[in-house]
Amino acid sequence: MARLLIAFLLLFAGLVGGGCTYNETTEEWQFDAISRDEEIALGAQYQPEMIREFGGEIADPGIVAYVDEIGGRLASYTEGEDPELPWEFTVLNSDVINAFALPGGKVFVSAGLARRMENEAELAAVLGHEIGHVSARHANERAGSGLAIGGATMIASIFLGTQIENETMAAFAGLFTVAGGQLVNLQFSRSQESEADRLGIRYMARAGYNPVGMLGLMRVLQEAKEESGSGRLAILSTHPLPEARIRRVNGVLEEDFPAALASPTRDVFADRFRREMLDRLPPETPVALRPPEHLGGHTSGLAARWCAHCRGMAVQSD
């Protein structure tokens, strides 16, 4: 029993390094495995690495200004202190269909996904979804859950007098340092993905976009999946299948935004999106000329472990 007491004390000592805060976005109390300043530092540290892993940044000044304006406007409608985060929005020079975010406000969308979209509201939808992950602090939430599970495993092993492989505990330790890419291996639950969709719709509506754009984004993903399978649809490795999301998003719109469904072409800004984004993007790389990692949805380096910072949601039906 003495060993069990010591284990509890050690776990408690590890957990009190964080703390509980009220998240104004989710309107819930949340355990902070790492502080907001640490989230910001991690995002800033790993932003350049993510850009390198995904083919570099589309540096066209017009595209940069356009996406910054949309993303910044959406982020300005987040809750609490989140509008003051150092938000940055990057279009990646990658043909892989993907989008993700790092803790602290670094948001990425691939050129491959942007080319599939038809209007600005769909772009606002994907940016809003990733902003939702950041504002809900989903990465921090998952890190805290990991610590609790790892601590319980440690306590059980000590109480039973057994030795366990330390892989789980090592992974949780890596959450704090991103050693070996552990932080970017965070898994999001279906409820967190759904929450990010709902938050994206919330921020779109506040910013003056027709929230039907979120439904349009889901259909873009569905069409891409049907055309090419999941090989270049990297976003499917980290998000629920679009069929399930279409049902849930449609339910939210029917309940909260029936007028949007009744006028699906209003406030979607298709002409501006084509002028400011599609006409400026470089042409898609022919399949025969793509490097091998593009054919498998980026199988090398951190790119294989990070997508939309919610790896592990895996391809699954509702």
Side-chain angles (χ1 to χ4, degrees):
M1 291 301 293
R3 286 187 300 176
L4 180 60
L5 177 60
I6 291 171
F8 272 116
L9 291 174
L10 288 172
L11 176 61
F12 178 75
L15 293 180
V16 295
C20 285
T21 58
Y22 182 75
N23 189 319
E24 294 186 40
T25 296
T26 61
E27 298 183 338
E28 294 177 351
W29 287 91
Q30 189 173 51
F31 174 74
D32 294 337
I34 57 177
S35 70
R36 176 53 61 90
D37 287 344
E38 287 170 324
E39 286 183 332
I40 292 171
L42 286 172
Q45 180 179 352
Y46 283 88
Q47 180 190 37
E49 188 167 349
M50 292 298 100
I51 292 175
R52 287 194 300 270
E53 287 283 347
F54 285 87
E57 178 181 5
I58 298 290
D60 181 285
I63 291 178
V64 171
Y66 179 61
V67 175
D68 280 348
E69 194 278 329
I70 296 169
R73 183 149 42 93
L74 292 166
S76 73
Y77 289 101
T78 56
E79 297 77 16
E81 298 178 355
D82 288 343
E84 306 307 317
L85 285 173
W87 294 97
E88 291 187 61
F89 302 89
T90 302
V91 180
L92 298 164
N93 190 19
S94 170
D95 295 326
V96 175
I97 297 171
N98 206 1
F100 57 93
L102 291 168
K106 310 305 183 192
V107 177
F108 307 81
V109 60
S110 71
L113 178 54
R115 290 190 192 97
R116 293 275 183 165
M117 298 176 184
E118 295 184 353
N119 55 61
E120 189 172 300
E122 292 174 359
L123 176 60
V126 72
L127 295 178
H129 173 93
E130 299 305 334
I131 289 170
H133 275 311
V134 174
S135 64
R137 303 187 75 185
H138 284 156
N140 209 329
E141 190 173 61
R142 294 299 288 175
S145 298
L147 282 175
I149 295 169
T153 303
M154 177 182 68
I155 290 171
S157 68
I158 294 174
F159 180 65
L160 295 173
T162 60
Q163 294 293 324
I164 62 171
E165 294 295 329
N166 210 31
E167 293 178 0
T168 300
M169 292 300 292
F172 293 137
L175 291 173
F176 294 95
T177 62
V178 202
Q182 294 295 337
L183 180 62
V184 299
N185 200 27
L186 288 170
Q187 300 176 3
F188 283 180
S189 67
R190 178 180 295 151
S191 64
Q192 288 172 321
E193 288 295 341
S194 295
E195 184 171 57
D197 283 341
R198 290 194 301 272
L199 290 172
I201 290 171
R202 176 195 296 180
Y203 301 144
M204 290 176 65
R206 290 176 178 176
Y209 290 103
N210 190 329
V212 78
M214 184 66 76
L215 193 59
L217 173 64
M218 298 302 107
R219 289 172 176 158
V220 166
L221 298 180
Q222 174 67 18
E223 290 172 4
K225 171 178 170 287
E226 291 173 351
E227 290 174 12
S228 62
S230 61
R232 286 176 50 234
L233 201 57
I235 200 168
L236 284 188
S237 69
T238 60
H239 291 70
L241 282 174
E243 298 97 317
R245 296 174 76 187
I246 286 172
R247 290 195 297 272
R248 289 195 287 269
V249 167
N250 197 63
V252 172
L253 296 181
E254 287 178 346
E255 182 175 352
D256 298 331
F257 300 97
L261 288 173
S263 303
T265 60
R266 177 179 55 82
D267 297 331
V268 297
F269 309 110
D271 291 342
R272 186 165 65 196
F273 178 73
R274 175 163 297 281
R275 182 176 66 251
E276 301 296 335
M277 174 65 81
L278 295 182
D279 290 348
R280 290 176 173 270
L281 283 173
E284 188 172 17
T285 305
V287 173
L289 300 180
R290 289 184 195 132
E293 62 268 22
H294 283 72
L295 300 179
H298 284 280
T299 59
S300 63
L302 283 176
R305 298 191 290 270
W306 173 278
C307 294
H309 70 227
C310 44
R311 186 74 182 173
M313 207 32 221
V315 177
Q316 57 182 297
S317 59
D318 192 15

